[in-house]
Amino acid sequence: MTDSRSPENIKETVLSVIDKLERSLSGKTLNGLLNGFADWDLLTGGLNEGELIVIAARPCLGKTTLALNLVENLSLKARTHNQIDANASGQPVAPGAIFSLQNSSESLVKRLICSRSGIGFTHLKSNMMVRSNQAKFLKAASEIAEAPIWIDDSPRLTIEQFIQKATELKEKHDIRYIVIDLIQKLRAPQYERGVNRELEISEISSEIKQTARTLGVPIIALSQLNRSADSRCGLPRMTDLRGSSAIEDEADQIGILIRNEYYSEIYHEGGHPDATLMIVKNRTGPTGDIPLVFDRELYRFSGWVP
């Protein structure tokens, strides 16, 4: 990808910074998109243009679910009073794109419907829906169908194809954010499969970061953690990101998602949240832990109140 922008005088950047600060102080906007999780937004200032935000976890702990919760909060209108609130910030819905390399678009939509409607996945999977649930299902499905969300579920996507598709979506639909699920599934064809994987992931990470900057959108990339994190006592670390230290280097934010049932040797007493998103890197601000409640049946994380 080439960038044809010309150098600009520093005055232009100074004026842009002042404008954003004044708008933030007036309450009109934060620097970034609000993701709907108040503690997370407060810590990081939202999802900022040009940033690479990495959400990492071991398999089956909910990183895809958390990403879909962000999509719902960003791209769907606030729910009615009898539903769990979404997009509570009141900001206008933001068009966005999901590149899902390990789940089909149908699977993602089912999860969104569960979260949106309040119908548990067991009922949805077994078709155990009474008439009242059917109405809730259809209402949620209709709301999701009208949302400005584009899904690409190509399972063998290359980094070049990703850049091309993301650029087209930005030009045609002015998307405001991108989700990649997951970064280790992307390929760079110039590398022989299975050979120099660390270098391949390094190049892919760099290209994703440059795409975020060129398109002026935040990219939320999901990442696996190394298995070695399980064999070591204690919680996972930033260095446990699988594939390459370049992910750690390129990311502006890194959040490691843990669930207490998985780390029971640490959270063996009551009074703890169901899950925690540990913000272990924040290039423009502080780090910290975001306590969360996890509803397995509804595919939903929400803020935890002690």
Side-chain angles (χ1 to χ4, degrees):
M1 174 183 291
T2 59
D3 193 337
S4 59
R5 291 177 297 181
S6 301
E8 63 180 20
N9 186 276
I10 194 171
K11 181 178 180 180
E12 299 298 323
T13 304
V14 171
L15 293 175
S16 175
V17 169
I18 292 174
D19 178 65
K20 288 180 179 179
L21 179 61
E22 288 179 342
R23 291 174 65 83
S24 177
L25 292 174
S26 68
K28 294 180 180 179
T29 182
L30 279 177
N31 289 335
L33 292 169
L34 298 179
N35 64 38
F37 291 87
D39 291 342
W40 192 354
D41 283 325
L42 186 62
L43 188 69
T44 63
L47 306 173
N48 299 298
E49 295 179 1
E51 287 193 345
L52 172 57
I53 298 101
V54 173
I55 300 174
R58 291 293 290 139
C60 301
L61 291 192
K63 54 185 177 292
T64 299
T65 293
L66 181 59
L68 288 177
N69 294 161
L70 295 182
V71 169
E72 185 181 355
N73 291 344
L74 291 165
S75 295
L76 275 80
K77 294 180 180 179
R79 299 172 177 189
T80 56
H81 67 279
N82 62 341
Q83 294 174 302
I84 305 169
D85 192 25
N87 201 1
S89 64
Q91 68 185 355
V93 295
I98 306 170
F99 289 86
S100 178
L101 288 86
Q102 65 174 5
N103 294 290
S104 68
S105 59
E106 183 175 319
S107 172
L108 299 183
V109 167
K110 284 181 179 178
R111 297 189 193 197
L112 282 169
I113 291 175
C114 286
S115 174
R116 187 76 176 174
S117 67
I119 301 172
F121 184 70
T122 301
H123 290 77
L124 188 63
K125 187 176 181 181
S126 61
N127 295 322
M128 295 168 51
M129 285 196 298
V130 296
R131 188 173 298 276
S132 60
N133 275 346
Q134 188 175 18
K136 289 164 62 178
F137 172 89
L138 293 174
K139 184 177 187 297
S142 176
E143 292 170 348
I144 293 168
E146 295 301 318
I149 301 169
W150 285 264
I151 301 177
D152 186 306
D153 62 357
S154 305
R156 299 180 183 274
L157 199 66
T158 67
I159 185 62
E160 289 83 1
Q161 291 169 332
F162 162 74
I163 294 171
Q164 179 183 354
K165 293 181 178 185
T167 301
E168 290 175 353
L169 285 167
K170 179 63 177 178
E171 291 173 350
K172 294 179 180 179
H173 305 292
D174 194 24
I175 56 172
R176 301 282 306 283
Y177 68 92
I178 295 170
V179 173
I180 301 174
D181 185 11
L182 86 186
I183 194 170
Q184 283 85 4
K185 292 285 186 179
L186 281 167
R187 293 291 167 182
Q190 64 269 34
Y191 290 89
E192 184 180 347
R193 190 173 181 84
V195 179
N196 291 326
R197 184 60 176 152
E198 185 170 348
L199 288 176
E200 184 181 13
I201 292 292
S202 178
E203 179 164 337
I204 287 169
S205 303
S206 177
E207 291 288 351
I208 292 173
K209 170 60 179 177
Q210 293 308 312
T211 301
R213 291 194 60 195
T214 300
L215 300 184
V217 300
I219 294 182
I220 302 100
L222 308 190
S223 174
Q224 296 171 334
L225 292 174
N226 289 317
R227 292 177 181 174
S228 59
D230 291 343
S231 61
R232 187 187 63 243
C233 293
L235 296 172
R237 307 166 184 166
M238 185 163 49
T239 52
D240 292 321
L241 292 170
R242 180 181 291 183
S244 175
S245 60
I247 302 175
E248 178 185 343
D249 294 337
E250 296 288 351
D252 297 282
Q253 292 180 36
I254 298 177
I256 298 178
L257 179 65
I258 61 172
R259 292 237 309 275
N260 294 353
E261 62 183 270
Y262 194 82
Y263 295 94
S264 57
E265 74 279 3
I266 298 174
Y267 294 103
H268 52 81
E269 298 178 356
H272 293 287
D274 298 328
T276 302
L277 182 67
M278 303 186 302
I279 305 298
V280 295
K281 180 180 181 180
N282 182 12
R283 200 185 297 274
T284 58
T287 58
D289 292 347
I290 311 300
L292 301 169
V293 175
F294 178 60
D295 191 318
R296 187 192 308 271
E297 272 291 289
L298 297 184
Y299 285 105
R300 169 157 285 280
F301 286 94
S302 54
W304 182 71
V305 179

